[in-house]
Amino acid sequence: MSGDGPAGASQVALVTGGYDHTIKLWQAHSGVCLRTMQHPDSQVNDLEINPSGQMVAACGYQHIRMYDLASANPDPIINFDGVTKNVSRVGFQENGQWMYTGGEDCTARIWDLRAGRQFQCQRIFQVPAPVNAVVLHPDQSQIMVGGQSGIIHIWDLKTDHNEQLIPEAEASIQDIAIDPEGKLMACVNNKGNCYIWSLGGSPPRPVPKKHIQAHSKYALRCNFSLDSTMLVTTSGDCSAKVWNTKDWTLKRELRHDTQRWVWDAAFTIDSRYLFTGSSDSYARLWDLEKGTLEREYCGHQKPITALAFRDQAV
């Protein structure tokens, strides 16, 4: 991690959000809060920094908002209209030309970002149940959509066709992740289980690889490290667990006395450290080699439910 203060915000940005209707930008290596941005009327369900590193998208109840990380403006510079219910996930196409979201209105959506600030919903993918997870394959050809029905829909963006996966009957899909190489896909569900597939072919097709009973209760998030060697799962059992992708053994179980539900987690680019956000209102930085807590980020008044981290120079 590098960067020193607001001038380095576009290179090194730790962003957190939660139930106190604020989004905070932190200096990752010092724990200093650089700015607080306002997210009125809603909790923050997900945060994603755009490919240029200049903006962060936040989604919540009936809102998708975009904030400028480089300016001192505490208010969103763009509001996306026309969404109902909770928007659960947000992400960007690799060049930042479009954004994708999923939510409790039973849709995944693609938003065209090229038309100035009048962003338009370009495509809608309807599914039979509320959506908890959406993730874009690294080759930009497919979006995986998962939700409360327990089905993962594989939406082919070129043909508009979709296929379905059902890893476990009557278990809500809470999150889906694809590793940066596009060779592995993971999901976690509300029963604490994690399922892994290998992805091969063109377009990529999932082949079942592993089932892990990752947590004793509700799993919330899963994320691969940038070098694809680790998978983190987070849970309502007050832990984050880091798994080796080579043999799916447990590398680290990260707990803290005051830590409650762990809602989100993000690896640093060198895969040596992990950030977590918890219901106890703290974000934390963990050293994965030592298994030690390195830093706490204190400032939120209520649970942290989303975080985003970016540390490559743009």
Side-chain angles (χ1 to χ4, degrees):
M1 292 187 298
S2 59
D4 44 11
S10 64
Q11 284 78 39
V12 183
L14 171 64
V15 187
T16 56
Y19 272 87
D20 61 1
H21 297 185
T22 67
I23 295 167
K24 293 182 181 289
L25 173 64
W26 305 86
Q27 191 176 52
H29 67 269
S30 70
V32 171
C33 180
L34 300 174
R35 281 176 51 212
T36 299
M37 294 161 275
Q38 301 305 312
H39 191 266
D41 313 319
S42 169
Q43 79 281 2
V44 179
N45 293 327
D46 194 20
L47 291 166
E48 188 77 20
I49 298 168
N50 75 339
S52 72
Q54 298 298 311
M55 314 262 278
V56 64
C59 61
Y61 180 68
Q62 297 190 341
H63 288 294
I64 308 161
R65 294 168 171 148
M66 203 87 87
Y67 297 81
D68 187 343
L69 291 175
S71 88
N73 183 1
D75 298 315
I77 58 168
I78 302 162
N79 279 290
F80 294 81
D81 298 318
V83 288
T84 60
K85 304 187 179 180
N86 266 311
V87 183
S88 50
R89 292 289 187 270
V90 60
F92 290 95
Q93 180 258 358
E94 62 181 353
N95 299 322
Q97 294 181 349
W98 46 269
M99 180 176 78
Y100 58 92
T101 60
E104 290 181 357
D105 65 351
C106 305
T107 70
R109 294 169 183 258
I110 289 177
W111 304 81
D112 191 341
L113 304 183
R114 293 170 295 187
R117 296 192 177 180
Q118 301 301 311
F119 294 161
Q120 299 293 323
C121 179
Q122 197 176 42
R123 297 171 74 178
I124 297 177
F125 178 67
Q126 191 82 37
V127 296
V131 172
N132 296 328
V134 284
V135 64
L136 176 65
H137 190 281
D139 72 6
Q140 317 294 296
S141 71
Q142 297 176 330
I143 290 179
M144 312 297 183
V145 182
Q148 292 179 20
S149 65
I151 301 169
I152 297 175
H153 301 267
I154 304 170
W155 178 20
D156 189 309
L157 299 178
K158 292 173 183 169
T159 65
D160 223 26
H161 293 150
N162 80 90
E163 297 183 9
Q164 297 182 2
L165 274 177
I166 306 176
E168 182 176 347
E170 297 178 10
S172 172
I173 306 286
Q174 297 305 116
D175 201 20
I176 305 170
I178 299 176
D179 82 308
E181 295 174 1
K183 294 178 180 176
L184 293 169
M185 179 173 77
C187 82
V188 290
N189 67 23
N190 64 339
K191 296 184 179 179
N193 291 320
C194 177
Y195 291 86
I196 296 110
W197 296 263
S198 57
L199 297 174
S202 182
R205 291 278 181 268
V207 177
K209 191 174 181 72
K210 185 72 176 177
H211 165 221
I212 304 170
Q213 292 178 308
H215 297 275
S216 59
K217 60 169 75 168
Y218 227 91
L220 295 163
R221 284 282 198 157
C222 56
N223 255 320
F224 285 96
S225 60
L226 269 76
D227 64 6
S228 301
T229 64
M230 289 175 283
L231 173 75
V232 62
T233 58
T234 76
S235 170
D237 69 4
C238 309
S239 77
K241 293 184 179 180
V242 179
W243 308 87
N244 294 301
T245 59
K246 186 176 181 181
D247 54 11
W248 303 106
T249 55
L250 181 64
K251 178 183 175 75
R252 291 287 177 209
E253 181 172 350
L254 304 173
R255 289 184 179 270
H256 186 272
D257 290 345
T258 64
Q259 188 165 267
R260 298 295 177 253
W261 284 39
V262 183
W263 286 92
D264 204 355
F267 290 93
T268 55
I269 194 172
D270 59 10
S271 303
R272 289 178 54 198
Y273 298 92
L274 182 80
F275 293 96
T276 58
S278 170
S279 284
D280 65 1
S281 78
Y282 282 83
R284 294 181 170 90
L285 175 67
W286 306 84
D287 184 317
L288 294 177
E289 284 305 309
K290 301 175 185 172
T292 52
L293 175 62
E294 294 295 305
R295 192 159 294 111
E296 292 185 315
Y297 303 85
C298 174
H300 282 283
Q301 304 301 310
K302 291 183 178 179
I304 293 175
T305 47
L307 57 81
F309 180 68
R310 182 184 182 89
D311 63 352
Q312 64 255 58
V314 178

